[in-house]
Amino acid sequence: MNTKQIMWAVGVLIVLVVVFGVLTSFTKPTSIVKPAEQHALAGTLQDNGDYVFDESTDTYEIKAQWPGTIALPTADASAKARLVIEQDIADRIATFKSESIAGIDSQETAHLKELGTKYALGFEYKHYSSPGYESYWYTVYEDTGGAHPNSYFFTHVFDAQGNDVKLADMLKDNPNWLDDLAALVRKDVVAQYKTRAEVSDTTGLIFDEGLAAKEENFSNWYLDGTDLVIEIPPYQVAAYVAGSFEVRVPLADVNN
């Protein structure tokens, strides 16, 4: 290649570089649009990182709170777990409205106004951590004008991927986990009842059905450190006056 040809090739290369630079300056980089965050319930984000849902009318009020972020390894896992809690709360609110609020007629409205009260539904939670898991224990308060407000529990335990873990999966290493857990819980509940009521015999005072080896009897569970905790709401194992029961069992004692 002679000098003239080399100069021509260099000139063409320079022109191509200039043209590419001009075109690039007018081309905007493609922006990555993040998908909108999914929500099952419209809440207001608070300074402490919780969402709060607050709905009030002349006849009822509903208040709920839930974590905006779950302490899991990834944002996707956190969002997945948060949505599970939101959906659970939303479903319970829908049930409350359809089964309780829908039954408020003009006579009941006048009665509530005379008493200066309202039907109410409230959700409060506590958070517990254990290696590889984050647990949320909810207490639900419900007042529908009865002799006294009622309360019950629900829990969610999430693994590192944001999956909602079931008790049977947590204790899968023990093929007899349900019988073993039922025996441990019953022993503890009976001991607690004897102390509270100052009695030596609980015959006829403890509801055997509420302590039977059925998975639904131990559905309110979470992990706190190395402990498996079972929360038993009022009425499940004894009269309302006896209150609720909490049983803590080392996880290793059941999952073996």
Side-chain angles (χ1 to χ4, degrees):
M1 182 181 289
N2 57 39
T3 304
K4 185 177 181 179
Q5 289 175 320
I6 294 174
M7 293 298 293
W8 182 85
V10 171
V12 171
L13 181 60
I14 292 173
V15 171
L16 289 174
V17 170
V18 171
V19 170
F20 177 78
V22 171
L23 290 176
T24 304
S25 67
F26 286 102
T27 304
K28 293 182 178 179
T30 303
S31 59
I32 299 175
V33 180
K34 293 183 179 180
E37 191 175 59
Q38 281 187 288
H39 286 279
L41 192 60
T44 302
L45 186 61
Q46 307 296 300
D47 291 340
N48 66 355
D50 279 356
Y51 280 100
V52 170
F53 175 86
D54 193 342
E55 181 176 307
S56 183
T57 70
D58 292 339
T59 56
Y60 71 88
E61 60 183 4
I62 300 172
K63 294 184 177 181
Q65 67 182 74
W66 63 95
T69 302
I70 311 297
L72 296 175
T74 68
D76 286 345
S78 173
K80 180 180 178 181
R82 172 192 51 74
L83 190 59
V84 168
I85 296 177
E86 272 189 19
Q87 188 63 62
D88 196 341
I89 294 174
D91 290 344
R92 293 172 192 274
I93 289 175
T95 299
F96 175 72
K97 287 183 174 181
S98 64
E99 295 183 356
S100 300
I101 302 304
I104 300 178
D105 54 18
S106 58
Q107 184 177 357
E108 179 68 1
T109 299
H111 180 61
L112 292 172
K113 185 176 181 180
E114 181 182 353
L115 294 176
T117 188
K118 300 178 181 182
Y119 282 21
L121 182 68
F123 298 81
E124 295 182 357
Y125 77 86
K126 292 182 179 180
H127 168 224
Y128 299 90
S129 292
S130 59
Y133 299 91
E134 300 296 329
S135 300
Y136 290 84
W137 168 36
Y138 267 86
T139 300
V140 184
Y141 301 93
E142 185 172 325
D143 187 353
T144 55
H148 54 72
N150 292 318
S151 64
Y152 65 90
F153 308 133
F154 70 87
T155 61
H156 289 287
V157 179
F158 300 106
D159 64 15
Q161 290 73 46
N163 298 312
D164 196 9
V165 182
K166 304 306 178 186
L167 186 57
D169 295 327
M170 179 59 62
L171 303 179
K172 62 184 178 181
D173 291 341
N174 180 0
N176 299 313
W177 71 267
L178 191 52
D179 289 332
D180 291 349
L181 181 61
L184 289 169
V185 172
R186 179 180 181 82
K187 180 179 179 180
D188 195 288
V189 167
V190 169
Q192 288 187 50
Y193 192 98
K194 287 180 178 180
T195 299
R196 294 183 193 181
E198 297 181 343
V199 297
S200 58
D201 185 5
T202 60
T203 303
L205 301 176
I206 296 290
F207 305 155
D208 290 334
E209 184 64 20
L211 291 171
K214 297 180 179 180
E215 195 166 347
E216 59 264 30
N217 284 337
F218 313 106
S219 60
N220 300 309
W221 69 279
Y222 57 86
L223 300 175
D224 183 14
T226 59
D227 286 343
L228 169 64
V229 186
I230 305 295
E231 298 288 350
I232 301 175
Y235 283 130
Q236 180 176 320
V237 299
Y240 180 81
V241 68
S244 60
F245 292 83
E246 178 181 283
V247 177
R248 287 178 171 266
V249 179
L251 183 60
D253 286 0
V254 188
N255 196 30
N256 54 54

